[in-house]
Every structure is written in C-alpha cells, then in structure tokens.
Amino acid sequence: MPFWLSWAVWSAPVKKLGARPAISSGCSGVTMLNWLTAQHLVGLPGMPTTVQGVNARAKREGWEAQLRLGRGGGQEYSFAVLPKETQTALLMREVAQQEPAPAQQLQQPGAAQVVNSPKRDAYTESRLNDDQRSVMAARMVLIREIERMSKVVSQQRAIDTLVGLARTGSLSPYLAERAERANDRKNADRALSERTLKRWLADYRKHGEIALAPARRKPNMSVPVWAADFLKHYQRPQKPSAQAAYLAFQREYPGAPSLHAVQRFLAKLSPQAREMGRMGPREAKALLPYNKRLTDHMWPNDVWVADGHKFDAEVINPNSGQIFRPEVTSIIDWATRRIVGFAINVAESTLATLDALHSGISRVGMFRVFYVDNGSGFANDTIREVVERLGGEMTHSLPYNSQARGVIERAHRTIMVRLAKDFDSYIGADMDGEAGNKVHRISRADLKKGSQPRHIPTLNEFYERLAIALDEYNHSPHRGLTKIRDSETGRFRHPSPMEAWRRAEAEGFAALQPSTELSMLLVRPQDLRRTHRGLVRTNGANYFLQDLVPLHGDQVRVAWDYRDASKVAVFTLDGDLIGQAILDGNASDAMPRIVKDQDRRVSGQLAKLVQKGKTLTGKDVELRVIERPAEDDRFQQHLLEAEKFVALAHEPEADALEAPDNEMTRYDRWQQLDSRQRLGEALSDDEARWHASYPNHPDFKSIQRMYDHFEAEQARA
C-alpha cells in the first residue's frame, strides 16, 4: 500500500456506524487484548464493579472506543488506555488461562495496526507523549499562519503561498523548523504539500487541536499461544535465565519461536506477571506498592513495636565462658522513634520479652498497644497475660509481613549492624572472609587453652557499648520524624527521638507510671513450686526463707529474675507476698574456719621479720602481704565479670534502701547523698553502699553525659 494511502487509513476517523477498523493479528490462535467490552473489565483491579460504572468512567475520561461488531452491539475499549494495574491483571489472567498448543501450530504473532479514536478531547491529550505533542504544536503553528494569511487573501492562495515558500526554502527559520517537525518523517522528503495542509485543516476544524497529533504504533499486547508452555519453564523458584528456560522449552517444542521473540514477550509483561512463580509471597511484596503509615496523630507510648535481632558479632558468655551471638530484644515507641527498652538473651524468648517490657515501663511508663510479630518470644500466653494485666493491648503483624514493622527493622540496621561492625568478632555477610577466619581460629585456640579469647568482647563490654549506641540513637536526628525549625539556625531539620518526646511533653503528654510492685510482679516469670523445710527449688537452685518453714509441703508461686539469681520472690497461691527467698540462704561452713598449720608457720616467719626490722631501724615496722589472683584462675575471673554485669544491670533492692523508681529522681537522690558526704555527714550503711554502687549504673552515666553536654552548650553560648 502506498504511504499516502496507509496514512489516510491511519488518520481518518471512523465515520460509518458499525464499521470497525481492521486489526490484523498475523496469526490465528492468538488471544487479542487490543479491544475489550465493559463486561470484560468489570471487577478487575482499578475498574468499577458494574458495567454502568465502567461505561461511565470511559465516557468521563474519553477512552478510545469503537462500535462492537456482531450480536449485542455496544462499544469496545482499547487496551492501551486502561490503567496499568488493569492491564497487568488482564495479562496475568490470559497467561493463566492459556492452554498448551502442539509444536506444529506455533507461529509468530503479528503486529496490530494502529486505529485512531473518533472521539478526541482533553482527556486523550493527557495520554500523548512528548513527541506527539511536539508534532501537534508544529502543525498548529502552520495552521495559524494559514489563518493569518487568509485574512487578506483566500485560503487556497494562502496554502499555495506557504507550499511554494517551503519548496524554494524561502520560509523564515522559525516556520521552516516547524514545517520540518510537522511532517514527522524519518526520510529526507520533508516538504509541505497542499493535500497535507488541507487534511490538517479539516481535522483541526472537526476535532480540535488534538486531531493534529500523529498516531503512534501501539504495542502488540496479544498473548501468543506458546506463552503458557514457555512460562512453565521460566516461572520457577530456581529463577532460570530466559535463555536457560528457552532451551528447555525448545527441547519440548521443536517449532518454538526464536529466543528474541520470547525475550520480546517477556519485556511486555509487567514485573508482577513476569516474576510470578519465581518469587514467593514474601519476596514478591518488594514489587508491590506499600502503604505509608502516618504517626502525626499518635502520642508517645500509644504504640510500642518490639522485635528480636540476632547480633552479628560474637560475645563471651560470663556464665559459661563460651562464645555465642546474643539476641537483642528492643522496643521502640512508634510516635517518637525512641528506643524505650531492650534486653539481651541467648535467643528470642519469653524471658527476653519480659525483661525488655520491664526496662521500658520503668523508664518511660505504660503503653497502650504492643505491636509484635508471631515469633515464639511474643506469641505466647505469658506475654499476652502480662500485657493485659498492665492494661495494654497486644497486636500481631501478618505472617511474612516484616514491612509492617519497618520502624523497628530500620532501627536494627541503623543501631545493631553499625555496632556489630565496630567489633573484631563481626561475622556479617560483608565481613572479609580471610580476616573473619583468622579471628575465629585465634579465639577458638584461646578458648581451647582455657584463656580469655582474644578479639571477642565480654558480655559486660557488649552491654555497655550497646547502651551507649542506643543512647546516641535516641539523641540523633531521625528522618522519620516531621521536620522542625531549629531555634539557633532558623532552618528546618529533623528532630531526634528525645526531642520529639520532650516536645510531646511540652504539649501536654504525661506518661502513666505504674507502681514498682506491679511492674516487678508482672514482668517476672512465676512458677508453681512446693516448699520443703523452708526451701523452694527453681531453675536448678535452692532458695531459703524462714517464713516457709510452717508451709512445708505446700504449693507457692515463685517469681524470679533471670538477671539476678541471688533471690526470688515467694507468694501464696492467692498472690500474697510471703518474702524474698535467698539463694542457699541456709548454707554455712561445715567446720569453723581455722588457720592451717602452714599458715601459722608463715605468720610466725613474718613476725620474726617484723621484729628484725625493728631491731635494725629502731622504729616500728609494718609488714603487709599483697595477694594477687592467679592468671589462670578462669573461674574467679568469670565470677568477677558476672558480678560486675549484675551490678550494671540492676539497682539495689528496695528492702536495703528505698531507691526511687525514676531515673531522674534516683540521680537527684544520689546528688543529695554525695553532697552530704562531701560536707562530712555520715551516711548509713545502706546509703553508703547505694551511693558507691549507683555510679556504675547505665542510667547514671547517661544522665551525667546529658548534663555535661548541656553545660558545654551553655559555655559555648
């Protein structure tokens, strides 16, 4: 067909009712998706649920349509004007319903011809690409020039003049450039013709400016008959390449199309349709849109999000002396992004969750919603009972939906992964293999010798550095929080979680503080045990309480804390507190402690040395023996580390000293005791012990750093 004739067929509107432009598939047996009725579109993603709704939307948005041939009449709508999600659903449905065909019937799909819509309006202009808009604007310039010239001469004379100037190259540079662009040809012949200009004028006067836009070849969205057979080899969880899947497909069907035809077909599919079967439900969510959750309406403590994270560095366990990877259970406040509590354990467990809850409640007060996954450390009756008794609500995210708790997942990457890389014992995926193997060999060799493994931090060191990292996170700007204007620079910036928390307090938020007894009783796990002559046995250890002697053989409830095994709380079955049972509280030395004969001889020799020194100097001489622990005494070393870790992790018990249950109040109480001591006032034994031990607590160090930072800022101001 000559070019001018094909162009006429291409651009001419459909004038006769019932006439349907030809669409050639080039291959019988190919399912066509170029034109679809409203019945085909009802209920699909992005489509209304009724035929009337589909037709109303098509009319409102000016979809490209044509009259339907055959019985029933009605209109058909072009596949190309449908929303992307509807196109994806149609393709996926066609692929799923396609039946395998014999190899001898496989043919290449042809290209569909382009059909213009008889209806042109502002809605269709929004679907033009930049190239079509450019050509349309150039043709409009030429039409305006003809209209301007027609004011003084006839339209025919104006057209002849414009064509003649274009043929001789006498047009102005501006019009010459527009004439070349308006022709929209790739060959060298870009001159204007009378017929072309008249056709543009007729289209413009009939359908408006949009009629000047050139039609573009639409993609062939048909699904070939061999698609299902090929996708059977391609859409597998092993994720074979297109070439590997094609080779397997070709062996079954000798008449299969070429590899390039298969690759072109894959390129037409959306990522969701193409990766079906190659990705599981969890992995496929990365291709789907996500729902951004806003927290502007939340107050602090409205929603706590908790999760466990296996630390990517090895640590020494002080109890066993072995190397392990600790599990860090952390809780974040969703509204302010503040880490409110955390716990360390061997694995995600109920104990770790209880400890993290106690840590958060004692710091910032009560919560409303506890949002967790379905892990064994959260989805159990013990945690649910504790949350309900605290007055909160427990909510679980859907399985394989870690994106729903992205706020805590992102915090883990920011805090835990960054901290793990600071240790020589880091074993993450991006750790250098040679360096990692070297650390592993050295540490295991040291452990086999019975000495302290090199390059492996103790649990105490890890605990201290984790507390510092969490504190730095809470005081660092967070991009998930709404920007505020800086009072010093006047610029907008992201606040830190602590700034967001204080701002909420300034706006009227007040945390609900539980009683110390309630929080301690609820978060401590309780077991039913029988007494035996004043003893109760739990977790492999015996605890003694004199008040249990009259209850010999009765059942009691024992509340214990895995981080302080020195005592347990004992209650009746009705919940009345009996007292604190002490670990091996009934134990005593088998015989009175006496000085051995060898010690007596040593003491005698030392006395003689003192007497000899007095004889030589004529003055009193004092002799002291300094005992040093053996370097290989691993048991003593681990015992000291465990005692230090317990001292950092716990406050003194309330029965020794009524210590406040708020960190700021405790810090103020310590300052009062310190002032009394500096003034020479004597402290009681309990006050002196608490005054000496509290500076080792992480809260004390954190508050002191806060005051030091504030004083430095004041000094700079």
Side-chain angles (χ1 to χ4, degrees):
M1 180 184 297
F3 175 80
W4 62 269
L5 182 57
S6 63
W7 173 256
V9 174
W10 185 296
S11 59
V14 179
K15 299 180 179 180
K16 184 178 179 181
L17 293 179
R20 178 174 179 174
I23 303 177
S24 175
S25 67
C27 175
S28 60
V30 177
T31 304
M32 301 303 298
L33 293 176
N34 294 41
W35 299 95
L36 300 106
T37 63
Q39 288 83 354
H40 287 106
L41 302 177
V42 169
L44 291 176
M47 288 287 105
T49 57
T50 62
V51 174
Q52 293 82 357
V54 174
N55 290 327
R57 180 175 178 180
K59 183 178 180 181
R60 183 174 62 253
E61 297 181 0
W63 288 358
E64 182 179 357
Q66 65 180 15
L67 294 179
R68 180 185 179 190
L69 294 179
R71 298 170 60 185
Q75 285 187 324
E76 295 175 327
Y77 303 107
S78 173
F79 179 91
V81 303
L82 300 178
K84 293 296 184 183
E85 54 184 332
T86 307
Q87 294 179 355
T88 299
L90 286 169
L91 280 174
M92 295 173 65
R93 187 174 68 181
E94 288 294 323
V95 170
Q97 295 177 354
Q98 190 66 246
E99 294 294 333
Q104 62 272 15
Q105 296 182 6
L106 297 176
Q107 300 180 23
Q108 295 291 340
Q113 296 180 4
V114 179
V115 179
N116 283 346
S117 169
K119 184 175 181 179
R120 309 255 191 170
D121 53 25
Y123 292 104
T124 57
E125 182 176 358
S126 64
R127 297 188 179 93
L128 299 179
N129 57 34
D130 293 341
D131 184 63
Q132 288 174 299
R133 292 190 185 95
S134 174
V135 175
M136 181 181 68
R139 292 175 179 177
M140 193 66 214
V141 168
L142 297 177
I143 289 177
R144 294 302 185 197
E145 183 66 17
I146 293 175
E147 291 177 343
R148 185 185 65 81
M149 296 171 62
S150 297
K151 293 180 180 180
V152 294
V153 297
S154 65
Q155 176 179 297
Q156 183 63 42
R157 181 72 177 273
I159 293 175
D160 293 340
T161 302
L162 194 61
V163 172
L165 292 175
R167 186 177 297 112
T168 60
S170 302
L171 290 174
S172 66
Y174 175 74
L175 287 179
E177 182 180 350
R178 296 307 178 275
E180 181 178 349
R181 187 72 188 94
N183 270 292
D184 190 31
R185 296 180 183 177
K186 296 183 179 180
N187 53 23
D189 184 12
R190 300 182 180 180
L192 294 177
S193 68
E194 175 187 351
R195 180 172 181 172
T196 300
L197 290 177
K198 287 183 177 180
R199 186 178 69 248
W200 292 348
L201 277 168
D203 291 342
Y204 169 69
R205 290 168 179 170
K206 188 171 184 179
H207 301 293
E209 184 180 3
I210 190 66
L212 301 177
R216 288 289 181 260
R217 182 172 295 275
K218 299 175 184 178
N220 179 15
M221 304 307 296
S222 61
V223 178
V225 293
W226 45 261
D229 300 316
F230 168 74
L231 293 178
K232 180 178 62 176
H233 299 279
Y234 181 75
Q235 292 180 334
R236 302 176 59 200
Q238 294 83 357
K239 296 182 179 179
S241 64
Q243 185 173 6
Y246 175 76
L247 293 176
F249 168 61
Q250 191 180 37
R251 283 194 294 268
E252 292 186 9
Y253 301 94
S258 65
L259 175 61
H260 296 291
V262 170
Q263 292 174 335
R264 287 194 299 270
F265 167 70
L266 288 177
K268 292 190 298 184
L269 296 178
S270 66
Q272 295 88 346
R274 184 177 61 250
E275 299 302 322
M276 182 189 302
R278 296 170 63 88
M279 292 183 174
R282 178 169 47 184
E283 187 179 1
K285 289 182 179 180
L287 303 176
L288 300 176
Y290 64 92
N291 181 26
K292 183 178 181 180
R293 299 185 177 183
L294 303 178
T295 59
D296 297 340
H297 63 287
M298 290 185 184
W299 283 102
N301 286 353
D302 276 355
V303 180
W304 282 6
V305 186
D307 196 16
H309 175 80
K310 198 72 171 179
F311 196 64
D312 290 332
E314 294 180 326
V315 176
I316 297 294
N317 191 331
N319 297 323
S320 63
Q322 299 299 313
I323 298 174
F324 80 113
R325 290 174 57 193
E327 177 82 13
V328 181
T329 302
S330 52
I331 303 176
I332 191 171
D333 176 70
W334 201 340
T336 63
R337 306 304 201 272
R338 178 185 178 183
I339 301 293
V340 296
F342 72 99
I344 303 174
N345 211 317
V346 177
E348 183 177 280
S349 63
T350 302
L351 295 181
T353 306
L354 291 174
D355 188 40
L357 276 173
H358 177 257
S359 174
I361 293 172
S362 61
R363 282 185 173 91
V364 302
M366 301 286 287
F367 60 91
R368 289 188 178 182
V369 177
F370 194 48
Y371 189 36
V372 294
D373 59 18
N374 293 275
S376 59
F378 302 110
N380 58 75
D381 294 339
T382 301
I383 300 300
R384 184 170 295 278
E385 179 185 0
V386 167
V387 171
E388 290 178 352
R389 291 184 64 186
L390 287 172
E393 178 184 349
M394 191 170 178
T395 302
H396 295 278
S397 60
L398 296 176
Y400 304 109
N401 195 29
S402 59
Q403 294 176 344
R405 293 172 292 101
V407 60
I408 190 68
E409 299 286 350
R410 187 65 181 88
H412 283 165
R413 292 196 298 271
T414 302
I415 304 171
M416 305 302 175
V417 177
R418 185 179 301 171
L419 177 63
K421 292 185 177 182
D422 289 341
F423 291 98
D424 293 335
S425 59
Y426 176 66
I427 57 174
D430 54 347
M431 176 67 174
D432 179 70
E434 183 179 358
N437 291 334
K438 183 177 180 181
V439 172
H440 184 274
R441 289 195 304 269
I442 294 175
S443 60
R444 268 56 180 185
D446 292 340
L447 192 64
K448 189 175 182 180
K449 294 177 183 177
S451 59
Q452 178 73 24
R454 287 169 285 178
H455 308 296
I456 308 294
T458 63
L459 189 60
N460 181 28
E461 295 171 350
F462 166 65
Y463 182 89
E464 292 179 348
R465 294 176 66 174
L466 175 60
I468 294 174
L470 294 175
D471 186 67
E472 291 177 350
Y473 173 85
N474 284 336
H475 288 84
S476 300
H478 198 292
R479 290 183 297 176
L481 299 174
T482 305
K483 286 186 176 182
I484 60 174
R485 187 179 295 277
D486 192 281
S487 58
E488 297 181 359
T489 63
R491 298 180 177 179
F492 283 97
R493 63 172 178 84
H494 292 286
S496 68
M498 291 303 300
E499 286 179 319
W501 191 282
R502 296 192 188 101
R503 185 175 57 180
E505 291 178 334
E507 294 175 357
F509 165 73
L512 178 63
Q513 296 291 342
S515 63
T516 305
E517 294 78 7
L518 176 62
S519 61
M520 288 299 296
L521 292 180
L522 291 182
V523 301
R524 281 187 177 183
Q526 297 186 9
D527 296 329
L528 287 178
R529 292 290 185 267
R530 288 194 180 275
T531 64
H532 179 73
R533 300 171 64 181
L535 291 172
V536 288
R537 183 174 180 82
T538 183
N539 294 329
N542 291 317
Y543 295 85
F544 177 77
L545 177 61
Q546 186 65 37
D547 293 341
L548 293 179
V549 175
L551 303 177
H552 174 74
D554 293 345
Q555 273 194 332
V556 293
R557 288 160 51 185
V558 181
W560 49 279
D561 188 346
Y562 80 97
R563 294 204 300 189
D564 183 11
S566 61
K567 53 184 171 296
V568 295
V570 184
F571 302 85
T572 65
L573 296 182
D574 296 330
D576 297 327
L577 177 64
I578 300 175
Q580 298 278 351
I582 308 301
L583 176 65
D584 294 330
N586 63 330
S588 60
D589 296 326
M591 294 292 293
R593 294 184 179 273
I594 59 175
V595 181
K596 297 181 180 179
D597 294 340
Q598 182 179 359
D599 296 336
R600 292 177 180 175
R601 289 195 297 271
V602 172
S603 299
Q605 295 293 329
L606 294 177
K608 291 180 180 180
L609 290 176
V610 172
Q611 184 63 34
K612 186 174 181 179
K614 184 176 181 180
T615 302
L616 294 175
T617 61
K619 300 179 180 180
D620 291 336
V621 176
E622 180 181 359
L623 185 65
R624 293 186 300 122
V625 177
I626 301 176
E627 297 182 359
R628 299 184 182 275
E631 294 182 357
D632 58 347
D633 190 359
R634 295 178 64 250
F635 175 78
Q636 184 68 18
Q637 184 179 8
H638 293 159
L639 181 61
L640 293 174
E641 290 181 356
E643 291 176 351
K644 185 177 179 182
F645 173 71
V646 172
L648 287 173
H650 294 277
E651 307 168 13
E653 290 296 326
D655 55 1
L657 176 66
E658 290 295 332
D661 58 356
N662 182 274
E663 57 259 29
M664 293 302 301
T665 310
R666 284 195 296 269
Y667 185 81
D668 294 339
R669 179 67 178 277
W670 184 89
Q671 292 284 1
Q672 296 173 1
L673 296 178
D674 191 62
S675 299
R676 288 171 52 190
Q677 190 179 57
R678 287 199 302 268
L679 294 175
E681 183 179 346
L683 303 178
S684 65
D685 293 341
D686 291 341
E687 290 176 338
R689 282 195 297 270
W690 189 80
H691 177 269
S693 62
Y694 182 62
N696 295 325
H697 197 280
D699 289 346
F700 179 87
K701 298 178 181 179
S702 176
I703 297 174
Q704 200 169 48
R705 284 197 303 271
M706 180 184 69
Y707 278 116
D708 292 342
H709 178 73
F710 177 76
E711 292 175 358
E713 291 291 336
Q714 292 292 329
R716 284 198 296 269

